[in-house]
């Protein structure tokens, strides 16, 4: 424990509050190890059970995580700390954010006039026009659209689904490597993550079966444009996963199809395969604009009732001004052509970087979506080395649980010529790393 912050307290709640205060004020940073239970108990003059109870409470609220022999450490994105992405240093090319190219995003056009509303929209939370457009959006890819609803974005929806379905301590199967914000969210809800390995076709069936047999109560996965690897379900993989899930009909399956319109891959969704408990979530952030905090959800009737019941008691509904804006964009043919152009450009840019890296003997994956994943031995060496050459990429630690190291490169705005330059710099950095650390 660093000298600048000492944990205090004589009760479990007092000790937990002291740790939480240290995290929120910055005295205990992400990744900082907490003292072993017995040692802290001796220092504070309390029983080991009191400290263990405090640590359990902190784990359930996403403040700390347990890493086996690595002990208990502060979470990378603790739920009590206000952490924002680091600012990109001036002069660097930002390839770390996972964002789309603004050139392929339409202007948001809210309705020109919005009349005053008496009371609230709780009685009619969804605009009929947007509901029909949403049904058509799902039906286009074979997703059952009898029951649809709206949320304020994919993570908002997933958080609500998990919190209504599960209880603290329950297990959720997640992709490994996977979406870093989801990996932060699950422990923040007091849930346990069970990693499921991913290959080029997404979740691996036997790894999923193992997770389900361990008592997992929900699965969150990505059918295409998987973040960070770009994996996508083929028809064969989808059918294999459905066969596995059929052995566990009570498990809730949540698909995050956030790249639906720009992934560059066909839709072979689990939702289209007749599961008993399921939800298929699509956000508009990646193809219509990151400020359009709206998502469409198709799901079974039980899941719909639980989601909407919880939403009714909290935010109530998605702003009708936002809904009108989304409806106008979804129905606009010019916007559809712009989005289609973006999908084609993203595919070409992913391929250009993968090909350029391969020319230097560097393996990378990224068959769909906005990113390319490059396995490496030393993330810090690669990230820092590329930074000295003018590139800002994301270290893979935030995206993985048990899988090997890597870096994520967002290719959405990376032109073909710059991809070649980046690949050359990447090879140079790896050469420097090998010279430093040996082959």
């Amino acid at each position: 424990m660093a000298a600048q912050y000492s944990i205090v307290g004589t009760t479990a709640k007092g000790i937990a509050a002291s740790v939480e205060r240290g995290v929120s004020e910055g005295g205990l940073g992400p990744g900082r190890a907490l003292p072993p239970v017995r040692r802290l108990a001796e220092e504070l003059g309390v029983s080991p059970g009191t400290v263990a109870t405090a640590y359990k409470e902190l784990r359930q609220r996403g403040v700390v995580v347990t890493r086996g022999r690595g002990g208990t450490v502060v979470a990378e994105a603790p739920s009590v700390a206000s952490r924002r992405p680091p600012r990109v240093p001036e002069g660097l090319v930002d390839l770390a954010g996972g964002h789309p190219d603004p050139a392929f995003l339409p202007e948001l056009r809210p309705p020109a006039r919005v009349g005053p509303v008496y009371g609230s929209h709780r009685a009619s939370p969804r605009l009929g026009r947007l509901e029909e457009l949403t049904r058509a959006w799902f039906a286009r890819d074979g997703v059952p659209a009898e029951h649809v609803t709206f949320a304020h974005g994919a993570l908002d929806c997933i958080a609500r689904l998990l919190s209504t379905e599960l209880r603290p301590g329950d297990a959720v199967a997640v992709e490994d490597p996977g979406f870093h914000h989801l990996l932060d969210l699950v422990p923040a809800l007091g849930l346990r993550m069970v990693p499921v390995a991913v290959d080029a076709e997404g979740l691996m069936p036997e790894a999923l079966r193992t997770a389900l047999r361990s008592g997992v109560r929900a699965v969150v996965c990505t059918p295409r444009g998987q973040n960070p690897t770009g994996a996508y379900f083929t028809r064969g993989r989808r059918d294999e996963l459905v066969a596995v899930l059929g052995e566990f009909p009570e498990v809730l399956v949540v698909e995050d199809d956030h790249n639906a319109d720009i992934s560059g891959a066909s839709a072979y969704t689990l939702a289209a395969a007749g599961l008993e408990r399921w939800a298929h979530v699509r956000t508009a952030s990646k193809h219509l604009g990151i400020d359009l905090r709206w998502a469409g959800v198709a799901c079974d009737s039980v899941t719909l009732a639980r989601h909407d019941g919880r939403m009714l008691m909290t935010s109530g509904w998605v702003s009708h001004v936002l809904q009108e804006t989304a409806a106008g964009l979804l129905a606009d043919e010019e916007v559809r052509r712009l989005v289609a152009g973006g999908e084609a450009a993203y595919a070409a840019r992913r391929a250009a970087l993968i090909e350029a890296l391969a020319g230097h003997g560097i393996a990378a994956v990224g068959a769909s979506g906005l990113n390319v994943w490059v396995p490496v031995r030393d993330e810090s060496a690669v990230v820092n080395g590329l930074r000295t050459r003018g590139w800002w990429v994301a270290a893979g630690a935030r995206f993985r649980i048990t899988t090997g190291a890597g870096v994520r490169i967002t290719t959405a705005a990376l032109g073909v010529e710059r991809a070649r330059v980046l690949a050359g710099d990447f090879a140079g950095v790896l050469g420097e790393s090998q010279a430093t650390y040996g082959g």
Side-chain angles (χ1 to χ4, degrees):
M1 179 58 56
Q4 66 267 27
Y5 192 86
S6 297
I7 298 173
V8 299
T10 56
T11 65
K13 287 191 175 297
I15 295 167
S18 175
V19 172
E20 184 171 331
R21 186 165 55 251
V23 173
S24 62
E25 294 176 354
L28 296 173
R32 176 70 64 81
L34 300 187
V37 169
R38 290 190 178 278
R39 194 179 88 199
L40 184 59
E42 291 178 2
E43 292 176 359
L44 299 179
V46 299
S47 71
T50 298
V51 176
T53 300
Y55 282 10
K56 179 180 179 180
E57 179 181 339
L58 291 164
R59 281 196 303 275
Q60 289 180 340
R61 291 191 289 107
V63 180
V64 303
V65 295
T66 299
R67 293 179 176 170
R69 292 184 179 180
T72 299
V73 303
V74 177
E76 289 298 323
S79 58
V80 297
S82 178
R83 296 185 67 222
R84 297 287 183 263
R87 289 185 178 275
V88 179
E90 188 174 349
L92 298 190
V93 179
D94 182 11
L95 304 177
H99 304 305
D101 185 344
F104 296 107
L105 297 176
E107 289 186 2
L108 299 185
R109 298 189 291 272
R113 302 183 66 180
V114 181
V117 176
Y118 175 76
S120 78
H121 285 305
R122 277 184 163 80
S124 55
R126 295 184 292 277
L127 291 178
R129 178 183 176 219
L130 182 56
E131 191 167 333
E132 289 308 307
L133 287 166
T134 303
R135 292 184 194 279
W137 192 21
F138 288 126
R140 179 193 71 188
D141 295 316
V143 175
E146 180 182 0
H147 305 290
V148 300
T149 189
F150 303 154
H152 298 97
L155 285 172
D156 169 74
C157 176
I158 292 170
R160 191 172 295 110
L161 292 172
L162 294 180
S163 63
T164 56
E165 189 75 22
L166 281 65
R167 295 294 176 266
D170 285 346
V172 181
V174 297
E175 297 163 332
D176 184 20
F179 182 35
H180 60 300
H181 289 311
L182 177 68
L183 302 188
D184 293 337
L185 173 66
V186 172
L189 294 174
L191 305 172
R192 292 186 295 112
M193 291 190 294
V194 177
V196 178
V198 173
D199 65 11
E201 298 179 61
L203 291 175
M204 299 178 69
E206 284 307 312
L208 177 61
R209 179 177 279 112
T210 298
L212 290 166
R213 285 175 174 169
S214 74
V216 159
R217 292 195 56 199
V219 177
V220 183
C221 60
T222 314
R224 50 187 169 174
Q226 199 268 352
N227 189 351
T229 71
Y232 63 89
F233 292 163
T234 59
R235 186 191 299 274
R237 176 57 58 83
R238 188 273 308 275
D239 293 345
E240 289 181 273
L241 293 172
V242 169
V244 172
L245 290 165
E247 302 171 22
F248 304 87
E250 73 285 355
V251 171
L252 174 65
V253 178
V254 181
E255 286 185 294
D256 180 5
D257 196 12
H258 63 286
N259 273 319
D261 285 44
I262 55 169
S263 69
S266 299
Y268 296 108
T269 70
L270 299 173
L275 298 178
E276 187 171 324
R277 296 297 316 285
W278 62 277
H280 185 90
V281 186
R282 290 186 177 179
T283 180
S285 299
K286 299 299 185 184
H287 73 288
L288 296 181
I290 60 173
D291 205 35
L292 192 62
R293 308 308 298 165
W294 171 82
V297 188
C299 53
D300 67 86
S301 59
V302 172
T303 301
L304 177 81
R306 292 178 178 177
H307 174 278
D308 284 5
R310 178 63 61 86
M311 192 170 191
L312 189 68
M313 292 185 290
T314 54
S315 57
W317 67 92
V318 175
S319 162
H320 279 208
V321 176
L322 197 62
Q323 290 189 46
E324 288 280 9
T325 304
L329 293 171
L330 288 176
D332 191 315
E333 286 295 333
E334 184 178 342
V335 170
R336 291 176 185 173
R337 287 192 292 272
L338 178 65
V339 171
E343 182 175 38
Y346 297 145
R349 292 168 184 178
R350 288 192 314 272
L353 180 59
I354 292 171
E355 181 180 351
L357 289 169
H360 292 276
I362 303 169
V365 294
S368 65
L370 303 179
N371 305 294
V372 166
W373 177 256
V374 189
V376 298
R377 185 178 61 179
D378 188 329
E379 292 177 2
S380 296
V382 172
V383 170
N384 292 328
L386 288 175
R387 177 175 179 173
T388 66
R389 295 170 184 247
W391 307 100
W392 184 254
V393 303
R398 288 288 303 279
F399 303 91
R400 56 190 180 84
I401 303 172
T402 63
T403 53
V407 295
R408 191 194 72 171
I409 303 174
T410 299
T411 56
L414 183 67
V416 174
E417 289 303 318
R418 286 206 300 177
R420 295 192 183 105
V421 176
L422 172 59
D425 286 342
F426 204 115
V429 168
L430 290 183
E432 293 170 357
S433 176
Q434 183 173 355
T436 302
Y437 298 108

